[in-house]
Amino acid sequence: MIYTKYGKTDMTLSAIGFGGMRFLEPYDSDQCHEMVQYAYSQGINYFDTAPGYCGDQSEIIFGRAFKEMLKIRDEKPFYVATKSGADNPSDLRRNLENSLERMGLDYIDVYQEWCITSMPQYEQRKANGILKELTKFKEEGLIKHVCISSHLPGDGIREVLNDYPFEGVLLGYCAMNFQYRDAGIDAAAKNQQGVVCMNPLAGGLIPEHPELFEFLKKPTDKSVVESALHFLIDDPRINVALLGFSKNKHVDQAIAAMDSYKPLPSGYKDSLRSNLKENFNSICTGCAYCKDCPQDIPIPALMGAYNQFHITKDPMNMLNTLRYHYGISKEKAIEFVDSCIACKKCEKECTQILPIVNRLQEIKKEISKLD
Ligand code: SF4
Ligand code: SF4
């Protein structure tokens, strides 16, 4: 396992983190908490959850595992991240108290201001006193580090990270869409803020369609999953790739991918860029050249979600990507589509020459049918 120091903090985190969003059978608590303990025994020391993941089961599962893990925490440290999207101090405090109780902890290591989806929303939370309350939590010893979790594009994340001395950021980032959020990771590195990446396997697209991602592989790689993880480990700006596990053998596979890591050949990232451009003709590569829409429609996010539909033909994958990767609800996505004035500025700027206006309409049509 590889470990790196998280920003300016004294935490040294494992390159693979345990993401608590994807327990397959969260009500089979025995199997789940034993898997958390297994990951810990294998060297994973970063555990990320949230109230509302798997109902409230995720924090409860981690709580059961932590009960055992706390007995040896002094010799074998581990770190816990959870979140709150409350927009006022009293809800924020209630959320924190509930998380502490569910997990049986005295404090949270990384407390994330959750799901920042726009600057006005961030400014509003700030005006409501959220950041002051988070500082108070720190003074009271209830949390150790104030961080953010965001689905904003890279330049939006940069703006938030430059606005306040957050100690780290959780963001979606992988070998397929890295261009979309690179500016955010650059800002974090410049400010010495820690970086944890969620969705390192493009929401399952990479393992489910290895033929499409063959170009990620280096001659010695056994699988595209290994290659996608190496891509993140190799980046000195990134501390942790968060993975959800459903079986102990998935933990073993992730750790094996760590163990096989060797520095990437020079020019690898450039070759990814050109492969994404050349081999993914009908796929949005997240380059964000189209981002300045006169109607403020987040086109790279909508086209990124459309990729899921394009590849899997399942509109639910597209809706889930909108919701969980980009923080855009079904209603908000439809509102965006309806606000398009078909000026086609985006299509003229698109490096992939995608039919963006038609795809927006398809998004609306497909997700309108879903709950
Ligand atoms: S066509 Fe629609 S999405 Fe594209 S730039 Fe114009 S308003 Fe924005
Ligand atoms: S310019 Fe085209 S490929 Fe690039 S993010 Fe926009 S839609 Fe995607």
Side-chain angles (χ1 to χ4, degrees):
M1 181 63 73
I2 296 162
Y3 297 88
T4 58
K5 193 169 162 297
Y6 182 82
K8 292 180 191 161
T9 74
D10 57 3
M11 297 189 299
T12 302
L13 305 185
S14 52
I16 294 287
F18 196 126
M21 195 184 183
R22 296 184 197 272
F23 289 109
L24 265 193
E25 297 193 51
Y27 291 93
D28 179 0
S29 180
D30 282 349
Q31 187 266 342
C32 294
H33 83 79
E34 279 165 15
M35 190 169 54
V36 175
Q37 284 173 249
Y38 178 72
Y40 176 55
S41 74
Q42 298 304 301
I44 289 177
N45 72 1
Y46 187 75
F47 301 89
D48 179 281
T49 181
Y53 280 180
C54 308
D56 275 339
Q57 284 302 302
S58 179
E59 287 190 334
I60 292 168
I61 292 164
F62 278 121
R64 281 192 70 186
F66 296 157
K67 203 169 169 189
E68 291 306 309
M69 291 157 59
L70 283 167
K71 293 177 187 164
I72 51 165
R73 191 177 198 177
D74 287 346
E75 306 95 79
K76 194 171 163 55
F78 67 88
Y79 304 96
V80 179
T82 191
K83 317 171 177 67
S84 171
D87 64 0
N88 65 78
S90 57
D91 285 353
L92 184 68
R93 186 168 285 271
R94 198 169 320 113
N95 285 350
L96 173 61
E97 286 168 355
N98 288 340
S99 289
L100 288 169
E101 193 188 329
R102 276 193 289 265
M103 291 193 276
L105 296 171
D106 296 329
Y107 63 87
I108 303 291
D109 299 280
V110 170
Y111 203 58
Q112 292 155 349
E113 177 56 17
W114 193 9
C115 210
I116 297 173
T117 53
S118 71
M119 277 313 282
Q121 177 226 38
Y122 167 72
E123 292 294 351
Q124 187 57 56
R125 287 189 192 179
K126 214 166 81 171
N128 293 351
I130 291 292
L131 297 181
K132 278 199 197 117
E133 190 71 359
L134 288 168
T135 309
K136 226 189 276 172
F137 292 166
K138 242 181 120 165
E139 288 160 4
E140 292 170 38
L142 297 174
I143 65 174
K144 297 279 186 196
H145 306 291
V146 178
C147 300
I148 60 162
S149 159
S150 178
H151 299 287
L152 282 169
D155 47 5
I157 289 173
R158 177 176 54 207
E159 216 177 326
V160 178
L161 290 180
N162 288 344
D163 180 71
Y164 181 86
F166 291 106
E167 292 162 273
V169 57
L170 169 65
L171 77 182
Y173 188 85
C174 68
M176 183 178 156
N177 70 3
F178 64 93
Q179 302 173 94
Y180 180 63
R181 293 209 172 94
D182 237 8
I185 297 199
D186 267 346
K190 204 163 148 228
N191 300 337
Q192 289 181 271
Q193 291 154 317
V195 175
V196 176
C197 294
M198 54 184 154
N199 271 319
L201 303 177
L205 264 190
I206 294 174
E208 283 156 22
H209 299 276
E211 70 292 347
L212 278 177
F213 294 94
E214 191 64 24
F215 64 88
L216 295 179
K217 278 171 84 176
K218 305 173 295 301
T220 49
D221 291 350
K222 293 186 198 71
S223 70
V224 286
V225 168
E226 196 178 352
S227 318
L229 292 177
H230 289 174
F231 172 76
L232 296 182
I233 302 163
D234 192 69
D235 192 326
R237 305 168 301 171
I238 294 172
N239 298 103
V240 178
L242 269 190
L243 288 167
F245 302 110
S246 50
K247 294 191 175 131
N248 286 0
K249 78 169 186 195
H250 299 150
V251 175
D252 294 337
Q253 284 162 355
I255 290 171
M258 288 295 100
D259 293 342
S260 65
Y261 163 73
K262 293 204 173 45
L264 296 180
S266 66
Y268 180 80
K269 203 164 181 179
D270 288 338
S271 86
L272 283 198
R273 268 196 195 89
S274 62
N275 267 295
L276 285 167
K277 197 167 156 47
E278 284 158 24
N279 297 343
F280 277 42
N281 277 336
S282 52
I283 291 284
C284 167
T285 61
C287 68
Y289 277 86
C290 61
K291 70 180 167 48
D292 293 322
C293 162
Q295 298 295 96
D296 286 335
I297 298 169
I299 304 165
L302 293 168
M303 292 301 111
Y306 183 91
N307 281 348
Q308 297 278 339
F309 174 58
H310 191 65
I311 293 171
T312 67
K313 309 296 172 217
D314 182 349
M316 201 62 212
N317 287 338
M318 175 162 69
L319 183 56
N320 282 338
T321 303
L322 281 168
R323 283 174 173 156
Y324 304 123
H325 187 74
Y326 294 107
I328 299 174
S329 66
K330 172 182 156 181
E331 294 72 27
K332 190 71 195 166
I334 292 172
E335 201 182 296
F336 281 135
V337 174
D338 287 341
S339 70
C340 172
I341 52 172
C343 67
K344 300 213 170 181
K345 178 174 180 289
C346 53
E347 293 191 3
K348 287 186 200 104
E349 285 158 352
C350 179
T351 52
Q352 299 289 93
I353 323 175
L354 299 179
I356 295 172
V357 176
N358 284 346
R359 285 190 178 187
L360 287 175
Q361 294 306 325
E362 256 188 284
I363 290 173
K364 178 179 170 183
K365 188 173 136 215
E366 293 298 334
I367 65 173
S368 296
K369 300 176 202 160
L370 303 171
D371 289 331

